[in-house]
Amino acid sequence: MRLLFVEDDPQIAGAVARNLERSGFAVDHAGTLADAKACVEAQQYDVMVLDLGLPDGDGLDLVRELRHRRNPLPVLVLTARDAVSDRVAGLEAGADDYLVKPFAHEELVARLRALLRRPRDDLGDAVAVANLRYSPAAGTFTVDAGQPLLLPRREHMLLAALLRRPGRVVTRNSLEDAIWDFAQEIESNALESHISRLRRRLARAGAKVEIRSIRGVGYLLQPVSS
Ligand code: CA
């Protein structure tokens, strides 16, 4: 899950971002409202955690702007303001949830997971290729409608990205974007290694799909040709 974390206090930002990464999120950090806007324009996120008091403005302006453009990105507001009127203002601006500082990391993660489980228009319906099915709302893969197929985080994100565009080529760049943060160095063969591990896991699970390499372009997921 790709998360945008908007927070101007470097100490809070560092600590919270590390915890979120440990909890399985790919985190991009923005320290200003302007940075946050640039990130949202450049990248598709699954969820945003937003501090309200930012050096160049009020975080709620960003929420209003997103909703005005019909962008449904789930937003959890993080704020020191605990007055009832402030919470109401946050929700009215279009935030989905809020947490008052200081907060426990476990509570932040629990609320984010709850937000991500919430069905939203942009998540779309479940997609299936052969006997492999992905439910965006639950975030789970199943083979033959059996038990959820549990994958390591990056392979999970990779497979979700491929399954969203079944039978079409997904470029290397967009796959790399889906699984790595801006800040991370990507080794040149890292994507290939993840793809080959994913192929082995899919085969072991009995999924009748194959991930084809399209040389120099990317990958595509399709039913195993018989
Ligand atoms: Ca602040």
Side-chain angles (χ1 to χ4, degrees):
M1 285 290 166
R2 206 177 172 91
L3 179 149
L4 177 61
F5 180 38
V6 188
E7 165 65 66
D8 59 318
D9 181 316
Q11 266 188 321
I12 299 179
V16 175
R18 273 193 301 280
N19 278 329
L20 287 170
E21 275 165 2
R22 257 181 241 132
S23 300
F25 294 92
V27 180
D28 288 333
H29 170 247
T32 63
L33 205 51
D35 269 4
K37 283 183 190 172
C39 286
V40 168
E41 267 159 40
Q43 181 68 52
Q44 191 88 40
Y45 291 98
D46 298 295
V47 66
M48 172 160 71
V49 176
L50 175 68
D51 178 41
L52 293 188
L54 295 165
D56 54 344
D58 187 333
L60 286 187
D61 289 340
L62 176 57
V63 181
R64 285 190 198 98
E65 194 181 312
L66 289 174
R67 299 309 182 232
H68 181 73
R69 294 195 319 228
R70 306 211 169 280
N71 183 328
L73 174 66
V75 177
L76 184 142
V77 159
L78 222 49
T79 175
R81 310 171 190 180
D82 59 355
V84 172
S85 59
D86 285 331
R87 300 181 199 179
V88 171
L91 298 173
E92 275 179 358
D96 299 273
D97 198 4
Y98 61 85
L99 201 52
V100 176
K101 291 179 193 170
F103 55 86
H105 178 67
E106 292 71 26
E107 181 170 14
L108 174 60
V109 170
R111 282 170 183 253
L112 289 172
R113 298 227 160 102
L115 266 187
L116 289 163
R117 276 197 301 269
R118 208 184 272 183
R120 304 184 73 94
D121 297 344
D122 63 321
L123 285 173
D125 298 327
V127 278
V129 173
N131 61 345
L132 175 69
R133 183 184 152 95
Y134 177 58
S135 158
T140 52
F141 301 97
T142 47
V143 175
D144 286 327
Q147 289 296 309
L149 174 62
L150 297 176
L151 297 170
R153 181 164 65 99
R154 295 219 158 93
E155 288 164 44
H156 182 106
M157 294 194 269
L158 209 48
L159 186 56
L162 288 166
L163 252 177
R164 282 194 193 105
R165 308 193 63 207
R168 284 178 291 169
V169 182
V170 184
T171 63
R172 293 184 57 94
N173 274 345
S174 59
L175 289 174
E176 288 175 349
D177 277 356
I179 61 176
W180 282 287
D181 311 345
F182 289 147
Q184 271 172 310
E185 278 290 328
I186 305 170
E187 283 179 45
S188 59
N189 60 349
L191 183 61
E192 282 69 24
S193 324
H194 284 296
I195 291 275
S196 37
R197 282 198 289 273
L198 184 55
R199 281 178 177 139
R200 286 198 294 272
R201 283 183 212 277
L202 287 168
R204 272 205 300 273
K208 297 188 173 66
V209 298
E210 62 185 358
I211 300 172
R212 268 183 56 203
S213 313
I214 310 297
R215 224 182 135 80
V217 184
Y219 294 90
L220 77 81
L221 184 91
Q222 64 183 24
V224 173
S225 37
S226 43

